[in-house]
């Protein structure tokens, strides 16, 4: 099996899928000749031509809106938003159109598109190249939101997202692109949407998270193990739908929950996770449900001290998990 | 007159569709005023623009992306009066939305009418997207977006036209300019007089046409569709027309336009003008006209009573079709 | 004191504020000559002129974006979004611009605007004229979100929103406009943002809600009282900021919580409320934290059975509260 | 030549600002390549367009809403090299954002530079809004939005121009057309050759100007500003220019344009051309030029070492200024 970075896994999956299904087109700003500002789509235009890998005008609503129309008329578009921070001009098309099309037409139409967007911070992107945007979309019935944490997962989840008959927002944490490597099978495989992955088994505390934070949680789990604290690291993989059964199973075992996300705290998706636990598992809890999140400031500062103060780290996770273990 | 492909039969069919729509519209208002349905959006006054353009396309094969004003259009495109009434009464059988959407939110996969929401100008981008697929798949289809002049103030109008022009997509942007966006007159909406003047900004042809003349509308739409099919890219058409009734049944247009103004425009009622012309040209006889009127009344009566009796959607269906896998 | 409908209270406040401060302008689609599609701004253009009460072009991003610029250069704009469902084209301006301006400029700029928008369902609006949108904005640091439930509150909160130095989203539930009357003092008064109002005192169960749902909760409270169940009805009034102290005080007393909102359940603001309780008050709870919300479907159907099935009612509240009381 | 108000002194100041910006820019790249700052966005090649337009306005009184490409503009507008360097190094004293934003996100209330984010085309709408206030308050100010040609594909560009035109706002939309949006050439961005061709769609004047000639840019900007101040509404200006360096220090432009193409454009380097002209016209002497070069080096050295030594923002300030009441 090949070792790949997270970024390479996504590129290889796109290549494999473009080769597999002629209906797939990839487009967005700078994805063609330049291969994307992160090089994710490098080489794809050369291989599949300008009609299937398209440098689009600089207009996010048009990128998503045309993908909607194209998907209805027989294509399988995979539009890219250059940075997740720039998805807001397309919110109307995503929320009011893509996500509502099936329901409003009483199942007469569907919008099978996969919107890829790099997101997240810790890479010196400042306020406008670091944002986490998942909560906005995880609130939208009709949308699916996928956030992989490893090269292996990225491939299987991206392929499944392409198979999915509904609009999928596929979020790629920039901090994973080149820092994380792993084994990725060459053949196509699918990982189901809505199924979490227990990336590490423990018994004392449940860490629930997704994306880059999974990697930090795994690091934290190593340190915690040295202290004798064994944690479950539950990687949600997709936050809409999200895997309540897996959450409940882990909570039942540990009775202690730490939810982790980089997104702003108030109204972040952690609140939803906490709420379903408080609704259905209250009497299994041995400690308050805790959240470790990005702070409630508009977005991540650029200057290193500000960025550092905003970001979650393995150390912060260790600290919070330790408090819970001792609770 | 050069041959435009319009036979007398087709012109009569056009007239029939215009008259059908006008009478349907009158019936909808009556039903609304009787409290039998909460909201009407009318195509009253727009019939020539809508029907003329529909006849210039491959109905059912090309794609249209209408807006709420387009009842005459969808009737001409193949939606039946029963289907329209089912939609109006929000019944389970409504093919547009199963009673989920307010009246005039059209959509039918079978007929190639893309499902529409209420947010204006989104349809412009969707039409470009449909056309992008046609270009890649070489399916020979043309897509047409319909929209009011007010909606051209939206960013998505601009993005759609620009995208379509850059990619030379087989799409037509069809504007129904009735001079008002609810209460806002065109001069508060834009400085230009002609929507077609906006085409230059995208390097595409823009053409204004008398939207009260179905033949002229037919001709310009046909030319635009042919151009699109030849791979020469999009066209922006402006059909100048007028809305004879308030914006919707919730509106009161006396607040923003005088009765005199409305009366003045009624002189150019597209239905009456077309009727006179067909009669004068002996394409339509008085007898045929009377037959059609009878047929229309019967069809509308049938549609009304059918839809009236049809069941409402079951409350249990509320959660269905959020996702494709729901149906499995 | 004058009796007024909810709608009249808002109109009178706008009139009073326009008269008080020349820097205030009101604008949006159809707000001038027509007085708004709901008549909220009726008569204002006649009284204050076309320069201060403006019929704008049909472009939400321009409405909000120009309000941002105008507020920086000395005005106090109160833009209207005709229906909350149509706010999505302006999301970029609201979230990325208005809400981030102060932070990104390190306090050099501020954006004192009040965005008014009618929202909510139960009025035969169907999918696109019934939506609840508060969760999207309550997640945004830099935004304030105000949702009054009575004519009295509407006046005091709107005046305070206008005083506020930051962007405020002021949401008016359409179901309140003409159905709810109440006493409204003539003189100007301010109600603080971030302070909840305990609209009814009980001891058995805490109902936490806002907007129209407050009225339904009060009705439910009457019925529940007949059964001998006494409930706190805590009207949040503003959901960002929201009044944790008031929530905690009530939870401490009752130990049982029902959170109510019309917005879709998953990722709705109820999750956040539940999460702060589960974080800070877990051991004061005598029952699971429950939510009664709109279902997870894209939006409210138009046909009466669908609309009815979607909407919260006093009966549904009674039922849930009763279960909790008996827990 | 008609009197355009440009004295030799002003022209020398223009030249100084252009040269200052170019040398600042070179320094930024050097510092970036040394690993001392993560990202550079350059105005390299755009100096004539930016400085020429700045001099045509009431600097510090009118409003500008720049974009990331506009370092020469903000320098000409009154931001000091120290302030720019503090921003570049993301130090606490950075007047643009206190180190919160990535380089080239300008803003200064004191100087009437509206704070900018990174989402392109939002500034067009803000400039219209500033001008709306000027119209209501009659403060005599003109607002100017600066933006790249790629950003004109955004809906907000369209909405801004339309809104400004309808309300006859005192605003100027100033496009810096360098032919690329990162890697995307203009022909993939739009069909029209001239951004100014988009003005007709809004019923406003559109003018294209040689963006490498600061005098010409000055003249058209001045005319547009005067028009705006007379209450005649907005103007769209297109300054045709070229970017000599990659989009940012993270970009590699060899992927999308040939070295020959870049070399060809360097023949029209706005700084060198203006220098030759001022020397030829004896407005600038070789000695003055050498003095300026010395001064520029000293100023940049000073700014660099000042900013380098300045403290970073304290991590504790992270939560400040989310809301106005935070500061109380
Ligand atoms: C984005 C958006 N904003 C506001 C509305 C509310 N609205 C519905 S129709 C309309 C006026 C549209 O006018 P125009 O485009 O001229 O079409 P007409 O009704 O005149 O045919 C408005 C403001 C909407 N549907 N979508
Ligand atoms: C809405 C949005 N989408 C994408 C980006 C990413 N981006 C930054 S600059 C740029 C190209 C802009 O090109 P142009 O407007 O021509 O300006 P130039 O850099 O050439 O001066 C892109 C795509 C952005 N900043 N904002
Ligand atoms: Mg109109
Ligand atoms: Mg450019």
């Amino acid at each position: 099996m090949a070792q790949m970075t997270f970024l390479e896994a996504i590129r290889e999956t796109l290549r494999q899928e473009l080769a597999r299904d002629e209906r797939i087109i990839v487009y967005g700003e700078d994805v063609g000749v330049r291969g994307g500002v992160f090089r994710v789509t490098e080489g794809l235009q050369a291989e599949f031509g300008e009609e299937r890998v398209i440098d689009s005008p600089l207009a996010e609503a048009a990128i998503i809106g045309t993908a909607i129309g194209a998907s209805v008329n027989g294509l399988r578009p995979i539009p890219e938003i250059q940075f997740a921070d720039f998805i807001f001009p397309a919110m109307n098309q995503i929320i009011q159109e893509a996500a509502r099309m099936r329901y409003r037409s009483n199942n007469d139409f569907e919008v099978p598109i996969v919107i890829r967007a790099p997101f997240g911070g810790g890479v010196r992107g400042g306020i406008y190249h670091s944002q986490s945007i998942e909560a906005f979309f995880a609130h939208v019935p009709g949308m699916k939101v996928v956030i992989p944490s490893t090269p292996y997962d990225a491939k299987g989840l991206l392929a499944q997202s392409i198979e999915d008959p509904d609009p999928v927002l596929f979020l790629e944490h920039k901090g994973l692109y080149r820092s994380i490597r792993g084994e990725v099978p060459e053949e196509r495989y699918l990982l189901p949407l809505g199924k979490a992955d227990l990336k590490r088994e423990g018994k004392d505390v449940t860490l629930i998270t997704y994306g880059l934070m999974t990697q930090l949680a795994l690091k934290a789990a190593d340190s915690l193990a040295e202290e004798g604290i064994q944690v479950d690291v539950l990687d949600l993989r997709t936050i809409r739908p999200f895997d309540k059964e897996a959450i409940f199973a882990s909570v039942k075992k540990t009775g202690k929950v730490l939810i982790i996300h980089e997104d702003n705290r108030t109204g972040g998706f952690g609140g939803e996770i906490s709420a379903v636990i408080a609704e259905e598992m209250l009497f299994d809890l041995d400690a308050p449900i805790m959240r470790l999140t990005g702070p409630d400031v508009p977005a991540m500062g650029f200057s290193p001290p500000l960025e550092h103060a905003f970001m979650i780290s393995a150390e912060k996770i260790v600290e919070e998990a330790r408090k819970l273990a001792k609770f | 007159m050069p041959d435009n492909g319009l036979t007398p039969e087709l012109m009569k069919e056009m007239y029939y569709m215009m008259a059908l729509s006008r009478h349907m519209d009158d019936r909808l208002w009556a039903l609304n005023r009787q409290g039998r349905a909460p909201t009407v959006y009318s195509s009253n006054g727009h019939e020539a623009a809508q029907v003329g353009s529909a006849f210039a396309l491959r109905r059912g094969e090309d794609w249209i992306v209408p807006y709420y004003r387009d009842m005459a259009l969808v009737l001409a495109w193949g939606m039946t009066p029963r289907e329209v009434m089912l939609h109006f009464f929000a019944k389970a059988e409504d093919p547009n939305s199963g009673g989920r959407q307010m009246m005039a939110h059209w959509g039918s996969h079978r007929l190639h009418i893309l499902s529409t929401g209420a947010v204006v100008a989104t349809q412009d981008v969707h039409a470009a997207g449909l056309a992008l697929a046609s270009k890649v798949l070489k399916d020979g289809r043309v897509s047409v977006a319909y929209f009011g002049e007010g909606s051209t103030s939206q960013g998505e109008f601009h993005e759609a036209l620009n995208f379509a022009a850059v990619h030379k997509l087989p799409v037509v942007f069809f504007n129904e300019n009735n001079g008002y966006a609810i209460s806002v007159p065109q001069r508060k909406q834009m400085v230009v007089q002609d929507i077609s003047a906006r085409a230059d900004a995208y390097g595409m042809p823009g053409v204004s046409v008398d939207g009260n003349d179905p033949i002229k509308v037919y001709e310009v739409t046909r030319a635009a569709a042919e151009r699109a099919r030849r791979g020469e890219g999009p066209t922006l058409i402006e059909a100048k027309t007028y809305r004879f009734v308030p914006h919707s049944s919730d509106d009161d247009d006396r607040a923003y336009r005088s009765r005199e103004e409305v009366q003045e425009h009624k002189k150019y009622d597209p239905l009456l003008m077309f009727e006179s012309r067909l009669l004068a040209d002996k394409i339509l006889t008085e007898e045929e006209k009377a037959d059609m009127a009878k047929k229309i009344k019967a069809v509308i009566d049938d549609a009304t009573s059918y839809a009236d009796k049809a069941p409402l959607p079951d409350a249990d269906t509320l959660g269905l079709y959020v996702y494709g896998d729901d149906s499995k």
Side-chain angles (χ1 to χ4, degrees), chain A residues 49-114:
Chain A
E50 278 204 48
E51 250 191 17
R52 294 187 60 208
V53 181
I54 305 169
D55 279 317
S56 77
L58 178 38
E60 284 75 12
I63 291 171
I64 303 302
T66 55
I68 292 171
S71 76
V72 166
N73 201 13
L75 295 182
R76 288 273 176 165
I78 310 181
E80 175 182 295
I81 298 292
Q82 192 164 83
F83 285 85
D85 315 61
F86 305 141
I87 205 167
F88 294 90
M91 279 251 188
N92 186 45
Q93 285 289 346
I94 299 173
I95 294 175
Q96 291 286 39
E97 299 298 319
R100 310 222 188 290
M101 180 77 81
R102 181 189 298 278
Y103 193 79
R104 80 182 181 207
S105 70
N106 204 27
N107 213 28
D108 201 22
F109 287 95
E110 61 184 23
V111 178
I113 64 175
V114 180

Side-chain angles (χ1 to χ4, degrees), chain A residues 1-324:
Chain A
M1 248 188 309
Q3 283 272 338
M4 284 184 196
T5 62
F6 187 80
L7 187 152
E8 287 161 351
I10 293 167
R11 184 195 294 143
E12 285 314 307
T13 310
L14 289 173
R15 189 195 309 280
Q16 198 168 70
E17 294 291 317
L18 279 158
R20 183 186 62 80
D21 187 342
E22 288 213 325
R23 299 170 307 162
I24 293 175
I25 59 169
V26 165
Y27 66 123
E29 298 152 12
D30 304 289
V31 302
V33 173
R34 184 81 183 97
V37 294
F38 290 100
R39 303 290 96 77
V40 176
T41 54
E42 188 146 57
L44 298 182
Q45 189 177 69
E47 191 169 342
F48 298 100
E50 278 204 48
E51 250 191 17
R52 294 187 60 208
V53 181
I54 305 169
D55 279 317
S56 77
L58 178 38
E60 284 75 12
I63 291 171
I64 303 302
T66 55
I68 292 171
S71 76
V72 166
N73 201 13
L75 295 182
R76 288 273 176 165
I78 310 181
E80 175 182 295
I81 298 292
Q82 192 164 83
F83 285 85
D85 315 61
F86 305 141
I87 205 167
F88 294 90
M91 279 251 188
N92 186 45
Q93 285 289 346
I94 299 173
I95 294 175
Q96 291 286 39
E97 299 298 319
R100 310 222 188 290
M101 180 77 81
R102 181 189 298 278
Y103 193 79
R104 80 182 181 207
S105 70
N106 204 27
N107 213 28
D108 201 22
F109 287 95
E110 61 184 23
V111 178
I113 64 175
V114 180
I115 303 167
R116 290 183 43 252
F119 83 110
V123 295
R124 294 302 303 280
I127 292 182
Y128 288 98
H129 298 81
S130 305
Q131 296 179 30
S132 293
I133 56 154
E134 63 270 25
F136 296 111
F137 299 95
H139 178 48
V140 179
M143 284 300 299
K144 295 188 175 176
V145 182
V146 178
I147 314 181
S149 68
T150 68
Y152 177 85
D153 288 3
K155 177 166 182 177
L157 291 167
L158 180 52
Q160 179 58 49
S161 298
I162 294 168
E163 287 285 316
D164 198 274
D166 290 300
V168 175
L169 179 62
F170 190 87
L171 292 172
E172 304 164 5
H173 198 294
K174 300 192 284 292
L176 292 168
Y177 270 156
R178 292 167 198 279
S179 73
I180 298 294
R181 302 181 70 81
E183 304 225 311
V184 180
E186 209 166 290
E187 70 282 4
R188 187 173 198 246
Y189 57 92
L190 303 173
L191 295 173
L193 308 190
K195 288 278 162 264
D197 184 38
L198 191 60
K199 285 245 162 28
R200 178 175 176 133
E201 270 221 63
K203 60 176 183 17
D204 300 323
V205 178
T206 298
L207 309 186
I208 303 176
T209 190
Y210 49 86
L212 174 68
M213 299 298 108
T214 303
Q215 296 292 347
L216 302 182
L218 288 170
K219 246 194 241 167
D222 284 341
S223 309
L224 288 161
E226 287 170 22
E227 302 180 19
I229 300 168
Q230 309 295 337
V231 298
D232 263 14
V233 176
L234 187 65
D235 178 9
L236 292 180
R237 279 181 170 164
T238 74
I239 64 167
R240 185 168 193 121
F242 74 109
D243 190 344
K244 291 185 202 172
E245 288 63 42
I247 292 172
F248 296 160
S250 178
V251 172
K252 191 153 201 85
K253 179 172 64 177
T254 66
K256 295 176 174 179
V257 183
L258 177 64
I259 301 160
I260 307 160
H261 59 63
E262 184 180 317
D263 195 0
N264 305 119
R265 182 186 198 79
T266 298
F269 200 69
E272 182 61 34
I273 299 169
S274 177
V276 299
I277 297 170
E279 249 151 32
E280 307 209 26
M281 303 287 293
L282 193 81
F283 300 105
D284 293 283
L285 289 171
D286 300 318
I289 306 172
M290 300 306 292
R291 288 180 292 172
L292 177 62
T293 69
D296 279 331
V297 305
M300 197 169 306
F302 178 61
S303 204
L306 300 176
E307 182 173 84
H308 187 256
F310 187 112
M311 279 299 285
I312 310 286
S313 63
E315 292 69 40
K316 291 181 191 172
I317 297 173
V318 166
E319 205 176 304
E320 292 304 310
R322 190 190 292 133
K323 275 190 229 158
L324 271 177

Side-chain angles (χ1 to χ4, degrees), chain B residues 6 10-22 43 45-57 59 69-78 146 174 176 211-219 221 239 270-271 274:
Chain B
L6 271 185
L10 274 173
M11 283 189 268
K12 271 193 276 195
E13 201 190 322
M14 269 180 160
Y15 168 74
Y16 174 80
M17 286 300 171
M18 289 170 62
L20 172 66
S21 178
R22 179 67 60 88
S43 50
H46 288 230
E47 293 89 350
Q50 295 174 18
V51 173
S53 70
F55 275 67
L57 300 164
R59 284 178 277 166
R69 187 85 45 231
D70 285 330
M71 184 171 70
L73 171 67
V74 299
L75 284 167
W77 200 257
Y146 290 81
F174 191 96
E176 303 179 32
N212 296 332
D213 182 340
I215 308 292
K216 290 214 182 102
V217 171
Y218 168 91
E219 285 168 349
T221 310
L271 179 64
F274 194 46

Side-chain angles (χ1 to χ4, degrees), chain B residues 7 48 56 115 130 139 149 176 218 220 225 260:
Chain B
T7 61
S115 166
L130 290 161
D139 63 14
E149 87 294 344
E176 303 179 32
Y218 168 91
V220 299
E260 293 68 42

Side-chain angles (χ1 to χ4, degrees), chain B residues 261-289:
Chain B
E261 180 189 309
V262 177
Q263 280 316 315
E264 178 60 27
H265 279 277
K266 287 218 167 155
K267 290 189 195 153
Y268 309 98
D269 183 320
L271 179 64
L272 301 185
M273 288 201 307
F274 194 46
E275 186 177 291
S276 310
R277 175 167 161 189
L278 293 187
L279 289 169
D281 291 356
K282 307 244 174 344
I283 291 171
L284 185 72
T285 66
E286 285 290 351
E287 202 189 331
E288 284 172 327
K289 185 188 139 193

